Amino acid sequence: MFHLCFALLLLASLSFSFPLASLGNNQMRDVPDFVRQYAPVAYLCSTEIYFPSDIGAQIAHTHPEDDFGNAITPPTALTLSNLDGLNAFADGGINVYLTSNEGIQALPSWFRGSRPQADGSTPSIVGCAVVTVAKPNDTLDAFYFYFYAYNQGNWVLGTPTLEFGDHVGDWEHTMVRFVDGAPTAVYYSQHSSGEAFTYAATQKGPDGVRPVVYVANGTHANYAIPGPHDHTLPDLNTVAGPLTDHTDQGPTWDPIVDAYVYSFDNTTGVFEAYNGVDPVGWLNFAGRWGDNQLPDSTPGQIDVFGERKYVAGPTGPRDKDLGRTGVCPNGKSCDVRDVLVP
């Protein structure tokens, strides 16, 4: 109890003074103003080396393979506009893997992405996609998807030789639920689950309006407060345990400044770009944004309590339960809390 009280007092004393980039010419035409106004701002971890990455560059640095490791030859060069053409292969695209040209163990330099500038912008890349989904009762969910070329997994019990969950490609997101244009709750994705808090409970940026996201070192899981976060049990984060994410007030990233912006019709399953220009096809890609899991026979692959060090890359935004009824994904154990806890 002492530790919890101390943490709450510490949080109350925090101030936020990072500069944010002006939206300038990147105004999101036709998207509701409140989607911009309440867009989350992020603190990356001070020890992070795998920064936000360009979504399109992932295609340039990879080649498609099926789940047996066979190369797939698409009829035309792949782009973000036609990536969903890979759905014609390998079980409707489900078993297509965008496989890194060098291999995951090579850790090529492009895995490191682009460190945001001092104002939080990433002008050389587009590492964020915003997707709005209209729901009944004047509700609109705005998903803010963040992309990283590489995910470095956790050390089990703090032991570097017991690392698992490394994969090429990494999609994370926060979701802000609006009712009648007012923010009511924020969801933070964390590995295979996540946490949710009322908007009023979240920490805010320097304008006192935009919720703050703390991004975990390496894994890029999203948290509402800084510090250690053990995530061994879904929807239960504690300050110590065998699988601990670390967050702090490191480099600022303002994802919405350089972002693609879309709407999604939950009835028809159709994505549309608000500006009519941003590429759409990639959102329909059914496959994985990285390599397949390495076989156990591969040198360097290890089995950690039934989990592997090198695992398969993730699926994209379309697979993140955009049509969810509640703030949390359907079927996930997750409460919308009104008090910030680890």
Side-chain angles (χ1 to χ4, degrees):
M1 179 62 71
F2 170 78
H3 293 293
L4 177 58
C5 292
F6 177 78
L8 291 174
L9 287 172
L10 178 62
L11 289 174
S13 68
L14 288 174
S15 63
F16 305 97
S17 58
F18 55 77
L20 295 180
S22 168
L23 289 176
N25 293 327
N26 293 294
Q27 294 291 334
M28 290 178 284
R29 189 167 37 144
D30 297 331
V31 72
D33 288 342
F34 54 79
V35 173
R36 280 196 306 273
Q37 182 180 2
Y38 298 98
V41 291
Y43 280 126
L44 302 172
C45 191
S46 59
T47 54
E48 184 63 74
I49 62 173
Y50 298 109
F51 294 104
S53 303
D54 186 70
I55 301 169
Q58 197 76 358
I59 300 174
H61 290 294
T62 62
H63 60 278
E65 293 183 356
D66 65 18
D67 49 329
F68 296 103
N70 300 313
I72 295 172
T73 304
T76 59
L78 293 174
T79 68
L80 289 179
S81 295
N82 66 11
L83 189 65
D84 55 340
L86 292 175
N87 293 349
F89 302 89
D91 302 315
I94 295 175
N95 289 317
V96 173
Y97 295 81
L98 298 182
T99 306
S100 56
N101 294 333
E102 301 88 345
I104 185 173
Q105 293 175 306
L107 296 177
S109 60
W110 61 270
F111 279 7
R112 294 185 175 239
S114 297
R115 183 186 179 97
Q117 296 186 348
D119 64 359
S121 66
T122 52
S124 62
I125 69 165
V126 178
C128 174
V130 181
V131 179
T132 66
V133 188
K135 305 287 176 66
N137 302 317
D138 296 315
T139 298
L140 184 139
D141 290 342
F143 292 81
Y144 304 86
F145 287 100
Y146 317 124
F147 184 70
Y148 308 84
Y150 185 69
N151 176 101
Q152 183 179 31
N154 288 122
W155 293 352
V156 181
L157 297 174
T159 305
T161 56
L162 295 179
E163 178 178 295
F164 79 86
D166 295 3
H167 55 82
V168 178
D170 190 16
W171 283 105
E172 299 290 347
H173 71 275
T174 49
M175 186 271 278
V176 180
R177 170 155 291 185
F178 298 93
V179 178
D180 290 325
T184 60
V186 183
Y187 175 80
Y188 299 78
S189 71
Q190 302 161 358
H191 307 284
S192 60
S193 59
E195 290 182 298
F197 299 92
T198 63
Y199 167 77
T202 62
Q203 294 182 10
K204 308 301 190 298
D207 63 357
V209 171
R210 298 173 64 182
V212 170
V213 179
Y214 292 91
V215 180
N217 183 57
T219 71
H220 308 126
N222 297 309
Y223 293 94
I225 60 175
H229 306 268
D230 177 74
H231 57 91
T232 305
L233 299 177
D235 199 37
L236 179 62
N237 291 326
T238 58
V239 295
L243 293 175
T244 303
D245 276 329
H246 297 277
T247 64
D248 62 25
Q249 191 172 322
T252 303
W253 182 30
D254 192 0
I256 203 160
V257 176
D258 305 287
Y260 297 131
V261 190
Y262 306 93
S263 63
F264 176 73
D265 188 314
N266 194 48
T267 301
T268 63
V270 172
F271 292 94
E272 291 186 356
Y274 270 100
N275 62 7
V277 176
D278 291 343
V280 176
W282 66 274
L283 287 162
N284 297 305
F285 172 52
R288 303 274 184 157
W289 284 78
D291 302 31
N292 199 355
Q293 178 172 304
L294 291 183
D296 288 350
S297 59
T298 304
Q301 175 68 297
I302 58 176
D303 182 338
V304 185
F305 304 136
E307 302 289 343
R308 302 303 190 271
K309 178 175 182 178
Y310 299 109
V311 299
T315 52
R318 83 167 202 166
D319 194 39
K320 302 303 185 283
D321 199 8
L322 299 176
R324 66 187 67 175
T325 303
V327 174
C328 305
N330 293 335
K332 296 289 186 180
S333 176
C334 172
D335 297 319
V336 180
R337 300 182 173 97
D338 57 10
V339 177
L340 294 182
V341 292

